[in-house]
Amino acid sequence: SQQGEEDPQALSIQEGENATMNCSYKTSINNLQWYRQNSGRGLVHLILIRSNEREKHSGRLRVTLDTSKKSSSLLITASRAADTASYFCATTSTGNQFYFGTGTSLTVIP
Amino acid sequence: DTGVSQDPRHKITKRGQNVTFRCDPISEHNRLYWYRQTLGQGPEFLTYFQNEAQLEKSRLLSDRFSAERPKGSFSTLEIQRTEQGDSAMYLCASSEANSPLHFGNGTRLTVT
């Protein structure tokens, strides 16, 4: 069964706007990762945040982690049509098994 | 580094038939994972290898599913006596220890 849940399930924004999606999980974690999936393709790793980190940046991506609330958020700034995809969070407590959430489907309208 | 490759990309089979999928991981990665993904859902963990040893297997995985990784290189996932509920995308991923997963593009199975 899946560990995390993303919110919202679907998000539609205009190009240039920021997109924020959230992930909640259930147990203590070693790290949390965000992945992106284009339709019919495999997942691509975006960013990893460790349990002792609170915020991390990579290009137009900003990830926050609140272990007390067991939640994380992914912010994509200045969105582009090419950002249209599904986004998943994945957690691991051991570094061996990774549990994925249900995903947020993002549509960026040109 | 040619990435993780999976074969075939698509498989259509009739209920009751056996199917086998292959995954070739990134060569220096000692960890290999199989996931199953249905439409609108996230990937669901099936099993995990470290080198040739199968270290974890989901309790949700029935006895009809078996995976191997001989010599710690490529891996195969076999489904015996397929059922319509087995229709899904089967994803393979590989990684080094404490590193993110690298996914293949999956094998889409349709059971008719």
Side-chain angles (χ1 to χ4, degrees), chain B residues 91-110:
Chain B
L91 293 164
C92 176
S94 69
S95 75
E96 296 174 298
N98 299 314
S99 295
L101 301 177
H102 294 254
F103 281 85
N105 284 323
T107 293
R108 180 166 297 283
L109 173 67
T110 302

PDB file of all heavy atoms in Angstrom, chain B residues 91-110:
ATOM      1  N   LEU B  91       6.882  -1.191 -13.710  1.00  0.00           N
ATOM      2  CA  LEU B  91       8.043  -0.310 -13.754  1.00  0.00           C
ATOM      3  C   LEU B  91       9.222  -0.944 -13.041  1.00  0.00           C
ATOM      4  O   LEU B  91       9.074  -1.531 -11.964  1.00  0.00           O
ATOM      5  CB  LEU B  91       7.720   1.021 -13.073  1.00  0.00           C
ATOM      6  CG  LEU B  91       6.681   1.901 -13.756  1.00  0.00           C
ATOM      7  CD1 LEU B  91       6.183   2.973 -12.797  1.00  0.00           C
ATOM      8  CD2 LEU B  91       7.260   2.549 -14.999  1.00  0.00           C
ATOM      9  N   CYS B  92      10.387  -0.803 -13.629  1.00  0.00           N
ATOM     10  CA  CYS B  92      11.626  -1.245 -13.018  1.00  0.00           C
ATOM     11  C   CYS B  92      12.463  -0.009 -12.702  1.00  0.00           C
ATOM     12  O   CYS B  92      12.442   0.979 -13.451  1.00  0.00           O
ATOM     13  CB  CYS B  92      12.377  -2.169 -13.972  1.00  0.00           C
ATOM     14  SG  CYS B  92      13.995  -2.702 -13.400  1.00  0.00           S
ATOM     15  N   ALA B  93      13.169  -0.046 -11.595  1.00  0.00           N
ATOM     16  CA  ALA B  93      14.052   1.059 -11.222  1.00  0.00           C
ATOM     17  C   ALA B  93      15.331   0.482 -10.641  1.00  0.00           C
ATOM     18  O   ALA B  93      15.330  -0.617 -10.070  1.00  0.00           O
ATOM     19  CB  ALA B  93      13.375   1.979 -10.213  1.00  0.00           C
ATOM     20  N   SER B  94      16.409   1.224 -10.767  1.00  0.00           N
ATOM     21  CA  SER B  94      17.658   0.800 -10.144  1.00  0.00           C
ATOM     22  C   SER B  94      18.283   1.986  -9.423  1.00  0.00           C
ATOM     23  O   SER B  94      17.942   3.146  -9.685  1.00  0.00           O
ATOM     24  CB  SER B  94      18.634   0.222 -11.180  1.00  0.00           C
ATOM     25  OG  SER B  94      19.112   1.219 -12.061  1.00  0.00           O
ATOM     26  N   SER B  95      19.174   1.667  -8.503  1.00  0.00           N
ATOM     27  CA  SER B  95      19.837   2.732  -7.759  1.00  0.00           C
ATOM     28  C   SER B  95      21.099   2.196  -7.097  1.00  0.00           C
ATOM     29  O   SER B  95      21.311   0.981  -6.990  1.00  0.00           O
ATOM     30  CB  SER B  95      18.906   3.315  -6.689  1.00  0.00           C
ATOM     31  OG  SER B  95      18.795   2.438  -5.589  1.00  0.00           O
ATOM     32  N   GLU B  96      21.916   3.123  -6.642  1.00  0.00           N
ATOM     33  CA  GLU B  96      22.991   2.801  -5.717  1.00  0.00           C
ATOM     34  C   GLU B  96      22.443   3.020  -4.314  1.00  0.00           C
ATOM     35  O   GLU B  96      21.375   3.593  -4.143  1.00  0.00           O
ATOM     36  CB  GLU B  96      24.199   3.697  -5.984  1.00  0.00           C
ATOM     37  CG  GLU B  96      24.806   3.458  -7.354  1.00  0.00           C
ATOM     38  CD  GLU B  96      25.921   4.438  -7.682  1.00  0.00           C
ATOM     39  OE1 GLU B  96      25.635   5.649  -7.736  1.00  0.00           O
ATOM     40  OE2 GLU B  96      27.055   3.982  -7.879  1.00  0.00           O
ATOM     41  N   ALA B  97      23.180   2.584  -3.310  1.00  0.00           N
ATOM     42  CA  ALA B  97      22.727   2.727  -1.927  1.00  0.00           C
ATOM     43  C   ALA B  97      22.505   4.202  -1.592  1.00  0.00           C
ATOM     44  O   ALA B  97      23.306   5.057  -1.970  1.00  0.00           O
ATOM     45  CB  ALA B  97      23.755   2.135  -0.980  1.00  0.00           C
ATOM     46  N   ASN B  98      21.385   4.481  -0.901  1.00  0.00           N
ATOM     47  CA  ASN B  98      21.061   5.830  -0.429  1.00  0.00           C
ATOM     48  C   ASN B  98      21.011   6.862  -1.552  1.00  0.00           C
ATOM     49  O   ASN B  98      21.360   8.025  -1.350  1.00  0.00           O
ATOM     50  CB  ASN B  98      22.067   6.277   0.637  1.00  0.00           C
ATOM     51  CG  ASN B  98      22.049   5.357   1.839  1.00  0.00           C
ATOM     52  OD1 ASN B  98      20.978   5.014   2.341  1.00  0.00           O
ATOM     53  ND2 ASN B  98      23.220   4.937   2.282  1.00  0.00           N
ATOM     54  N   SER B  99      20.599   6.444  -2.711  1.00  0.00           N
ATOM     55  CA  SER B  99      20.499   7.342  -3.863  1.00  0.00           C
ATOM     56  C   SER B  99      19.112   7.241  -4.475  1.00  0.00           C
ATOM     57  O   SER B  99      18.399   6.263  -4.247  1.00  0.00           O
ATOM     58  CB  SER B  99      21.547   6.971  -4.918  1.00  0.00           C
ATOM     59  OG  SER B  99      22.844   7.179  -4.425  1.00  0.00           O
ATOM     60  N   PRO B 100      18.711   8.252  -5.235  1.00  0.00           N
ATOM     61  CA  PRO B 100      17.384   8.204  -5.858  1.00  0.00           C
ATOM     62  C   PRO B 100      17.248   7.058  -6.854  1.00  0.00           C
ATOM     63  O   PRO B 100      18.227   6.503  -7.342  1.00  0.00           O
ATOM     64  CB  PRO B 100      17.297   9.558  -6.574  1.00  0.00           C
ATOM     65  CG  PRO B 100      18.266  10.428  -5.880  1.00  0.00           C
ATOM     66  CD  PRO B 100      19.386   9.522  -5.472  1.00  0.00           C
ATOM     67  N   LEU B 101      16.018   6.744  -7.152  1.00  0.00           N
ATOM     68  CA  LEU B 101      15.710   5.689  -8.104  1.00  0.00           C
ATOM     69  C   LEU B 101      15.770   6.219  -9.534  1.00  0.00           C
ATOM     70  O   LEU B 101      15.358   7.343  -9.818  1.00  0.00           O
ATOM     71  CB  LEU B 101      14.301   5.140  -7.836  1.00  0.00           C
ATOM     72  CG  LEU B 101      14.048   4.556  -6.452  1.00  0.00           C
ATOM     73  CD1 LEU B 101      12.593   4.117  -6.325  1.00  0.00           C
ATOM     74  CD2 LEU B 101      14.979   3.402  -6.172  1.00  0.00           C
ATOM     75  N   HIS B 102      16.268   5.376 -10.424  1.00  0.00           N
ATOM     76  CA  HIS B 102      16.260   5.653 -11.855  1.00  0.00           C
ATOM     77  C   HIS B 102      15.297   4.661 -12.485  1.00  0.00           C
ATOM     78  O   HIS B 102      15.513   3.454 -12.389  1.00  0.00           O
ATOM     79  CB  HIS B 102      17.657   5.485 -12.459  1.00  0.00           C
ATOM     80  CG  HIS B 102      18.642   6.472 -11.956  1.00  0.00           C
ATOM     81  ND1 HIS B 102      19.099   7.529 -12.710  1.00  0.00           N
ATOM     82  CD2 HIS B 102      19.251   6.589 -10.748  1.00  0.00           C
ATOM     83  CE1 HIS B 102      19.956   8.239 -12.005  1.00  0.00           C
ATOM     84  NE2 HIS B 102      20.064   7.698 -10.803  1.00  0.00           N
ATOM     85  N   PHE B 103      14.245   5.157 -13.104  1.00  0.00           N
ATOM     86  CA  PHE B 103      13.205   4.311 -13.648  1.00  0.00           C
ATOM     87  C   PHE B 103      13.380   4.064 -15.138  1.00  0.00           C
ATOM     88  O   PHE B 103      13.855   4.937 -15.886  1.00  0.00           O
ATOM     89  CB  PHE B 103      11.826   4.952 -13.443  1.00  0.00           C
ATOM     90  CG  PHE B 103      11.278   4.787 -12.070  1.00  0.00           C
ATOM     91  CD1 PHE B 103      11.623   5.674 -11.057  1.00  0.00           C
ATOM     92  CD2 PHE B 103      10.421   3.740 -11.762  1.00  0.00           C
ATOM     93  CE1 PHE B 103      11.115   5.528  -9.772  1.00  0.00           C
ATOM     94  CE2 PHE B 103       9.907   3.589 -10.494  1.00  0.00           C
ATOM     95  CZ  PHE B 103      10.253   4.476  -9.488  1.00  0.00           C
ATOM     96  N   GLY B 104      12.943   2.878 -15.567  1.00  0.00           N
ATOM     97  CA  GLY B 104      12.737   2.625 -16.977  1.00  0.00           C
ATOM     98  C   GLY B 104      11.373   3.162 -17.386  1.00  0.00           C
ATOM     99  O   GLY B 104      10.628   3.693 -16.569  1.00  0.00           O
ATOM    100  N   ASN B 105      11.048   3.022 -18.675  1.00  0.00           N
ATOM    101  CA  ASN B 105       9.769   3.530 -19.178  1.00  0.00           C
ATOM    102  C   ASN B 105       8.625   2.528 -19.026  1.00  0.00           C
ATOM    103  O   ASN B 105       7.503   2.814 -19.435  1.00  0.00           O
ATOM    104  CB  ASN B 105       9.899   3.957 -20.633  1.00  0.00           C
ATOM    105  CG  ASN B 105      10.611   5.282 -20.762  1.00  0.00           C
ATOM    106  OD1 ASN B 105      10.426   6.170 -19.933  1.00  0.00           O
ATOM    107  ND2 ASN B 105      11.446   5.421 -21.781  1.00  0.00           N
ATOM    108  N   GLY B 106       8.915   1.390 -18.433  1.00  0.00           N
ATOM    109  CA  GLY B 106       7.850   0.472 -18.071  1.00  0.00           C
ATOM    110  C   GLY B 106       7.425  -0.482 -19.162  1.00  0.00           C
ATOM    111  O   GLY B 106       7.714  -0.288 -20.351  1.00  0.00           O
ATOM    112  N   THR B 107       6.729  -1.535 -18.738  1.00  0.00           N
ATOM    113  CA  THR B 107       6.053  -2.466 -19.643  1.00  0.00           C
ATOM    114  C   THR B 107       4.571  -2.373 -19.331  1.00  0.00           C
ATOM    115  O   THR B 107       4.165  -2.603 -18.185  1.00  0.00           O
ATOM    116  CB  THR B 107       6.523  -3.911 -19.435  1.00  0.00           C
ATOM    117  OG1 THR B 107       7.884  -4.031 -19.831  1.00  0.00           O
ATOM    118  CG2 THR B 107       5.663  -4.874 -20.244  1.00  0.00           C
ATOM    119  N   ARG B 108       3.788  -2.016 -20.349  1.00  0.00           N
ATOM    120  CA  ARG B 108       2.334  -1.937 -20.137  1.00  0.00           C
ATOM    121  C   ARG B 108       1.719  -3.279 -20.486  1.00  0.00           C
ATOM    122  O   ARG B 108       1.820  -3.744 -21.618  1.00  0.00           O
ATOM    123  CB  ARG B 108       1.705  -0.841 -20.989  1.00  0.00           C
ATOM    124  CG  ARG B 108       0.204  -0.738 -20.775  1.00  0.00           C
ATOM    125  CD  ARG B 108      -0.413   0.521 -21.313  1.00  0.00           C
ATOM    126  NE  ARG B 108       0.074   1.720 -20.669  1.00  0.00           N
ATOM    127  CZ  ARG B 108      -0.301   2.141 -19.460  1.00  0.00           C
ATOM    128  NH1 ARG B 108      -1.157   1.430 -18.743  1.00  0.00           N
ATOM    129  NH2 ARG B 108       0.175   3.264 -18.966  1.00  0.00           N
ATOM    130  N   LEU B 109       1.102  -3.907 -19.490  1.00  0.00           N
ATOM    131  CA  LEU B 109       0.466  -5.213 -19.669  1.00  0.00           C
ATOM    132  C   LEU B 109      -1.041  -5.039 -19.774  1.00  0.00           C
ATOM    133  O   LEU B 109      -1.650  -4.388 -18.918  1.00  0.00           O
ATOM    134  CB  LEU B 109       0.792  -6.141 -18.499  1.00  0.00           C
ATOM    135  CG  LEU B 109       0.044  -7.477 -18.476  1.00  0.00           C
ATOM    136  CD1 LEU B 109       0.483  -8.342 -19.650  1.00  0.00           C
ATOM    137  CD2 LEU B 109       0.268  -8.211 -17.161  1.00  0.00           C
ATOM    138  N   THR B 110      -1.616  -5.633 -20.808  1.00  0.00           N
ATOM    139  CA  THR B 110      -3.069  -5.686 -20.949  1.00  0.00           C
ATOM    140  C   THR B 110      -3.482  -7.144 -21.000  1.00  0.00           C
ATOM    141  O   THR B 110      -3.003  -7.893 -21.857  1.00  0.00           O
ATOM    142  CB  THR B 110      -3.537  -4.973 -22.230  1.00  0.00           C
ATOM    143  OG1 THR B 110      -3.083  -3.617 -22.204  1.00  0.00           O
ATOM    144  CG2 THR B 110      -5.056  -4.999 -22.337  1.00  0.00           C
TER     145      THR B 110
END
